[in-house]
Every structure is written in C-alpha cells, then in structure tokens.
Amino acid sequence: MSTVVALGGNALIRPGERGTAAEQLANLRRAVAALEPLLAEAGARDHTGNGPQVGNELLRQERAAE
C-alpha cells in the first residue's frame, strides 16, 4: 500500500525560521512522525478511499442530466 501526503509551506517552514534545508528537514521529520500513527492505522485496515462516493456522485449527475 502506498500513501501520498502533500505538505504545504507552513508544514516545512515554521514562524520565525529562515527556511534553511536543515530547518525544513527537521520540520519534515516532525510532520512524518505525527502522521505515523494515522498511516499505520490506515495500513492495518481495508481502506478504499473515496472511490465509492465519487462513483455514486457521477451516477447521480448522469441520471440528473437525462
């Protein structure tokens, strides 16, 4: 299972920092550590994402267009 996480600038550069590579790497490590429990839980269960909801919405829109 793969997970993609997009982190914005505020996750990598904290207030008062200059944004050096070392600061950003330290902040990235903190963010990943904070995500680990969530990612471990997601990996332990059958996770299908929001595919079924998207499919149902598409069907509703197609039927409404008729």
Side-chain angles (χ1 to χ4, degrees):
M1 178 175 157
S2 297
T3 302
V4 176
V5 177
L7 300 174
N10 289 336
L12 298 178
I13 302 174
R14 308 303 301 165
E17 294 181 341
R18 293 182 20 213
T20 65
E23 289 172 338
Q24 290 183 52
L25 184 57
N27 291 332
L28 177 61
R29 287 187 173 130
R30 278 193 283 279
V32 169
L35 290 170
E36 279 181 326
L38 176 65
L39 297 174
E41 180 183 327
R45 59 189 157 100
D46 183 19
H47 185 67
T48 59
N50 66 347
Q53 293 85 356
V54 172
N56 289 336
E57 182 60 29
L58 178 60
L59 288 173
R60 279 193 291 273
Q61 290 181 18
E62 288 178 350
R63 289 179 182 151
E66 295 172 4

